[in-house]
Amino acid sequence: DMDNFKYINDSLGHKKGDEVLQISAKLLKDSLRANDFIARYGGDEFCIVLDIADKSDLEVLVCRTNNCIEKYNSTSSNPYKLEFSMGYAIYDYKSHKSAEEFLKLIDMLMYENKQANKNKLTICAPTNPVN
């Protein structure tokens, strides 16, 4: 979920908002592997499906995404800063959760991350890419 996207749309206009969505999608895609799937899920939300079974591999990818966004922000002259809140987990086949139940879990985790982002800054160390 893009943080403060409404502010960008309201203050800079919907054309700029559309550009920000395109930039965000490109940054997310650039952080992923060739076989990962990304789609716009809602107004300012993206859904990414990964073939990852190990939590540490997932955390590497999340940090790589955060680093890519931070690099963009540090080099951009735009009057806004891109920020994302992410919910993520490894699906446990033994849980027998439906896709809808798993998405609800991811959504809950995203809102927890959004609240944490408001309270503190999370820094990820540069990492090696997941193959």
Side-chain angles (χ1 to χ4, degrees), residues 15 24 35 41 53 55 77 80 85 89 95 100 106 109 116 120:
K15 183 177 178 185
S24 297
N35 62 334
Y41 188 66
K55 187 175 180 177
S77 61
Y80 57 82
S85 295
S95 73
E100 182 178 289
I106 298 299
L109 293 170
K120 67 179 180 178

Side-chain angles (χ1 to χ4, degrees), residues 22-129:
Q22 291 172 356
I23 291 167
S24 297
K26 182 180 181 336
L27 290 171
L28 292 172
K29 186 177 178 186
D30 289 350
S31 300
L32 302 176
R33 303 163 302 170
N35 62 334
D36 294 333
F37 175 81
I38 181 172
R40 187 171 169 200
Y41 188 66
D44 63 350
E45 294 182 351
F46 294 88
C47 184
I48 300 170
V49 179
L50 310 166
D51 184 15
I52 291 179
D54 184 77
K55 187 175 180 177
S56 64
D57 289 342
L58 178 58
E59 290 171 351
V60 164
L61 195 135
V62 169
C63 283
R64 186 171 59 228
T65 301
N66 285 329
N67 288 337
C68 184
I69 294 163
E70 187 56 39
K71 181 179 178 184
Y72 171 83
N73 285 330
S74 69
T75 60
S76 171
S77 61
N78 288 316
Y80 57 82
K81 182 177 174 183
L82 291 182
E83 296 175 316
F84 289 82
S85 295
M86 293 186 244
Y88 54 91
I90 302 289
Y91 181 78
D92 179 7
Y93 289 98
K94 295 176 187 174
S95 73
H96 301 290
K97 286 184 180 172
S98 67
E100 182 178 289
E101 291 170 320
F102 187 65
L103 282 173
K104 282 183 183 180
L105 169 66
I106 298 299
D107 200 46
M108 180 195 70
L109 293 170
M110 183 270 301
Y111 280 108
E112 287 177 6
N113 183 242
K114 185 176 287 289
Q115 189 60 44
N117 287 344
K118 289 179 182 179
N119 296 330
K120 67 179 180 178
L121 176 65
T122 302
I123 299 173
C124 294
T127 55
N128 295 326

